[in-house]
Amino acid sequence: MSDLVAKIPFIRLLLPAVASISISAFLIELTYSWVICMAGVGIMAVSFFISERKQFTCRWLFGAGLFIFVFGLFSLLFQQKIEESQWRFADEPTVCIGTVVDVPREKPRSFACNVKISYPVSHKIVAYLQKEDRVRNITPGDEIVFVAQIRTFKNFGNPDDFDYVRFMRNNGFSGTTYLSSSNWHPTGKEHASLYVSAQKVRKKALEFYRMFELDNDAYSFISALTLGYKHYLTNELLEAFRASGTAHVLAVSGLHVGIVYGVFAFLFSFLGKTGRRSVIKQIIIIAALWLYAFVTGLSPSVLRATLMLTIASVGWMRGRSGFTLNTLAAAAFFILFLNPMSLFNVGFQMSFIAVLAILSFSPVLDSLYQPKNKIIKKSWGLFSVSISAQAGIFPIALHYFGTFPTFFFIANMLIVPLIGVIIYACIPVILLTGLKPFQFVIVDWLYPVFGWILKGLIFVVLKVVCFIETLPYAQLSDKPISTLQMMMLLFIVVTVFKFFTHKRVASLIAGLTCSLFFILTFTYAELSRKPVQLAVFNKPGFSDIGLYVDEKRVYFDVKENGFIQHPSTSILRLSGSSYSHVETSRPLEIDVLILSHDPAFSMMQLTNIFRTGQIVLDSSIPQYGRIRLMRECEKLGISCHDVGEDGAYLINL
């Protein structure tokens, strides 16, 4: 451990920070965090008053105090972020004043806007504005006044659902609302901040890109590639990049910031690598990196990469090895200090694990093969970096998404070099487009040439990505693993690379032992598999009935009005009121009655025809109908499950 701290001193700060955030989020709420902070400060203070004779034996005291202080500090920061995202909204519409802080995102029937409310309280919400022309004129920083009933986020309650509530909380949002055209109006005021100003510049850049005369796919691709704006990408295009293992090129991150760094390092290479002029070069590069981060809207991914390269540049200015594991730990610490919730961001986890894997594993692969040919050497370097990054992130990808791109190494070797060329090709197109209004003859001659080159490169990239997606077994899907399995898989990867590095049998034995336990977890999961369940899923506005098998949905034909086969339970589904004129002297006894579609059901009429112990209202019935039926069931003393409110209803088979 002492060797690790000597190599990565920032780990002294990062470990207690991560531990504090994790414990606060998943185990216990640390109520008196300030007491922990004060205790840490006290221990550090005591370490300064120890006699010289005992300083060596008590040298751990300052480190322990620092650990406790950072632990308490990050607990306080975490609690502050939780409080910012918690807000109990009024049950009736409320007048609010807020500021649009992001570029509005067009949806099929609305525009989604991130709004920072300033009155009556300070919170962030997602407002869905009715689609109309005036919404297109909204820019980040515009203040709006609106009347709305704001609702907290809610999961659908299906067994296979993504935890949307936690996701939005981690991103600092408190609630959501829908605003019709008559319920909101701009005040004419504008609010400025660094983030809002960056979003304004980003929106102007997106509008400027429209002048490139690209088709929709090419425009959406170049917007994502250079500005990190992915909302124009179609689902088909996004899936193609995911399946090919090249989705990382669509999120402005380390690759893109690294290319920008390379461009400016080349432009100012005449300043040399040492001395005062080298310091000036690094300062210029740092300024250029942060300017690029500003233009891309200060997105979290580009901020992570920019911060890491900034710390590395400072190291180079001081004549040290700039990009190291300590640089990575320092960047992670500062990002968590600014926003502790970043720890739960999948992008944060994957980007830092990818860089950690590259720094740790790439030298191992490079030592296995050292070609003399420059082209082969560059290709091998790209291959080793790609393999190292994927080795680090594929356990995380399997855990969160249950997918793994089989041909990622081929795709990255083809796509990544082209991505750099495309970014370079954008520079003359941007300059020539800006000079178009001046009507220079040379601009009219050069613009079609560079425009054709840019379009051709984008065409090639999209074709390659789509081709790789269509290859057999291009993607392993539906293979999710648990958190424990993810940690074990990461440990196996580390021990394998460690064995190739040091050739120690202990590493091999540890890896093989962990592999055995990893396989046993699947055996245990198979033995403790949950039974097949009939499920009435929550899908707002629709009736969604099927089977839930091995954490996947399986559908079968379900009659609109009729019995659903079950070995031990009688289940009847009704989707209309055709029964209303039926008369019977003896009600039909059934176990579960599922009501769908029709909000005009009457529980009094139903109880005259059916005798049941459980009513299930599926999500196809409008909310007002479900509320009325719930009240009628309560009066009659019948158990009622509202799928739209209580989540999916499950019956074991």
Side-chain angles (χ1 to χ4, degrees), residues 540-595:
F542 297 89
S543 181
D544 191 2
I545 302 175
L547 297 177
Y548 189 63
V549 186
D550 293 337
E551 300 185 354
K552 291 186 290 185
R553 301 187 188 192
V554 178
Y555 291 101
F556 62 98
D557 291 332
V558 181
K559 294 180 180 180
E560 291 286 324
N561 293 280
F563 282 93
I564 300 175
Q565 292 185 355
H566 190 279
S568 59
T569 306
S570 57
I571 305 170
L572 176 65
R573 182 198 184 193
L574 294 178
S575 299
S577 56
S578 57
Y579 66 88
S580 57
H581 300 293
V582 175
E583 294 183 2
T584 178
S585 58
R586 184 180 178 184
L588 178 65
E589 293 191 6
I590 55 176
D591 296 314
V592 180
L593 178 60
I594 302 173
L595 304 181

Side-chain angles (χ1 to χ4, degrees), residues 130-145:
Q130 182 179 342
K131 185 174 284 189
E132 55 179 334
D133 290 337
R134 65 172 179 153
V135 183
R136 300 181 189 276
N137 298 323
I138 290 180
T139 59
D142 289 351
E143 185 183 78
I144 60 173
V145 58

Side-chain angles (χ1 to χ4, degrees), residues 41 43-51 55 61-62:
V41 172
I43 294 172
M44 285 190 289
V46 169
S47 68
F48 287 103
F49 295 98
I50 295 176
S51 62
Q55 279 185 356
L61 204 58
F62 181 85

